[in-house]
Amino acid sequence: MAEGVKNKPLNMAENWTTIEEFSNFCNKEKERRLNSDNDFDEKAFEKAKNLALDQLKILKQDGWV
C-alpha cells in the first residue's frame, strides 16, 4: 500500500450530515435525469432543491437535524 493512502473498511460509511446527504442525492438525481431521454426541467429541480435545503437549514438551526 502506498504511504499516506488511508483506506476504510467497506462497512464504514461516510459520516455526512442530513444536508450533505440530501445535496449528494440531489446531485446524483439531477445527473441521472439530465442523462435520461425524458424532458427534465432543470430550473424547477434546482428551485425545489433549494427550497428543501432552506427548510433543512431552518430545522438544523432549531436543533431538529
Side-chain angles (χ1 to χ4, degrees):
M1 183 182 307
E3 190 173 324
V5 174
K6 295 180 181 178
N7 291 327
K8 291 187 202 177
L10 291 176
N11 63 350
M12 300 272 306
E14 294 289 329
N15 201 12
W16 293 336
T17 66
T18 302
I19 294 172
E20 289 171 330
E21 285 185 39
F22 180 73
S23 293
N24 289 333
F25 168 78
C26 287
N27 292 337
K28 290 176 186 174
E29 182 63 14
K30 179 180 172 182
E31 184 72 23
R32 185 188 72 78
R33 288 179 183 237
L34 285 170
N35 291 327
S36 72
D37 292 334
N38 299 330
D39 290 334
F40 174 61
D41 188 347
E42 186 175 355
K43 188 175 179 181
F45 183 88
E46 286 296 322
K47 188 175 179 180
K49 178 185 84 169
N50 290 332
L51 179 64
L53 283 171
D54 289 344
Q55 293 300 310
L56 284 171
K57 289 173 186 173
I58 290 169
L59 289 173
K60 182 179 180 182
Q61 290 173 351
D62 292 342
W64 290 97
V65 178

